Structure formats: structure tokens, C-alpha cells
Amino acid sequence: ELRQKVLRSAGLWPLPERIPLDVHESESLDHPWCTVRRIYYQLWPGVYANGLLYMPKNVAGQSAPAMLCPHGHWSGGNTHEAVQKRCLNFARLGYVTFSSPQDHYEDLALGISHQTLMLWSNLRAMDYLESLAQVDRSRIGAAGASGGGLQTQMLVAVDDRVCAATIVG
């Protein structure tokens, strides 16, 4: 099956144990239509990834769609103006939006390539989005450009939770 082949090629077959996310959040920054927080979530014991969460102000008490927006090869990563615009616009439209990292760390002796890390980080980012009370688990999409497009493509190949995707570059 394609899913298993992609996971195997990324060094993620069988899938690692999904340990508790152990989420840590920064203080929120206020924007006219959302709040923004840096979120840290656990990938493996003691190993954390981080991303930016854009929570629309108009979703209180309701279940909203969500977007995972892995960033690509942008200077400053998910703080780059183009990535911020995309995430803020999704939030303006009412989507709970999370911009996950693009980390090129590799340690081949441990069996970790940059694809291993990015794909596992995005699978765990999907776990994080699903854990939010404000998110409608049946309406989670993914959108990425450049390296974020590659990350989105890889994620769509292995995760049925993504119900719509936009892949650019």
C-alpha cells in the first residue's frame, strides 16, 4: 500500500508511539481577527517541535474548520511575511490555523532524515489540531508552498485526516 511505502521510505514504519503531546503555549498576541501563540508539542520523549497557532476570535463555543500550513523555504520560516499572510487570511475566514515547522535536522545514525522529522512533526501537528475543542475533526485541510508543498504532499499520502489540500511549488 502507498501509505506504508511512503512511511517506510521516511523511516516511520512502523509508526512511532504517539506519546502525550505535552503542549506548552506562549502568551497570545492579539490581532484584529485572531490571536497568535507559539505552541510547543512533543514528537518523541523530550523532543519538541513548535509552530504558530492562529485562533480566530469568532469561533468561541463552536466547531470550526482547521488548516495545517507547513512553511517552505522562507527566510524566517513561519514568521516570513508571505507565510503570515496566508495563515492570517485563513484565520480571517474562520479557520483554526497552525503553521508547523520545516526542520532539516538529520541524524542518519539514529535513522532520522529531514523527511522523517518533517513528516512526523506534521502528523503530530494533526494530532494537536484534533485535540483542540474548537476544531471540527472532520474538516481539517493542509496548504503548503515550496518545501511546505512537499510536506503537504507527503502528509496527504499518509494521513486520511486531511480532507482537502493545496500544494504549491
Side-chain angles (χ1 to χ4, degrees):
E1 148 183 10
L2 175 64
R3 176 180 185 269
Q4 187 179 33
K5 287 179 182 180
V6 171
L7 289 168
R8 188 180 307 279
S9 72
L12 290 169
W13 189 261
L15 279 172
E17 178 186 352
R18 280 183 154 92
I19 61 173
L21 289 166
D22 188 33
V23 174
H24 300 269
E25 302 178 347
S26 71
E27 294 293 321
S28 65
L29 298 173
D30 193 45
H31 187 275
W33 54 74
C34 68
T35 59
V36 182
R37 292 179 185 268
R38 182 155 307 271
I39 304 296
Y40 296 85
Y41 55 103
Q42 192 168 213
L43 302 176
W44 293 288
V47 177
Y48 288 76
N50 73 84
L52 296 174
L53 175 66
Y54 301 77
M55 184 62 70
K57 290 181 177 177
N58 62 356
V59 299
Q62 57 183 324
S63 190
M67 287 297 294
L68 178 63
C69 292
H71 68 79
H73 298 96
W74 307 95
S75 60
N78 58 11
T79 63
H80 188 278
E81 181 180 350
V83 179
Q84 293 280 311
K85 284 181 181 178
R86 177 169 24 120
C87 294
L88 286 167
N89 277 311
F90 276 126
R92 182 178 55 84
L93 295 170
Y95 289 80
V96 174
T97 305
F98 188 69
S99 180
S100 56
Q102 177 166 294
D103 192 335
H104 286 277
Y105 175 82
E106 290 190 334
D107 189 332
L108 299 180
L110 293 175
I112 298 173
S113 72
H114 66 277
Q115 282 299 331
T116 309
L117 182 55
M118 286 188 276
L119 185 53
W120 185 241
S121 176
N122 285 316
L123 287 166
R124 296 297 285 163
M126 290 290 290
D127 295 343
Y128 170 68
L129 280 172
E130 279 193 324
S131 77
L132 298 173
Q134 300 91 334
V135 170
D136 178 347
R137 296 174 75 174
S138 69
R139 297 188 297 158
I140 300 177
S146 184
L150 174 60
Q151 290 182 70
T152 301
Q153 180 179 10
M154 298 287 286
L155 182 65
V156 167
V158 301
D159 197 329
D160 293 337
R161 298 175 291 181
V162 179
C163 66
T166 300
I167 301 166
V168 179

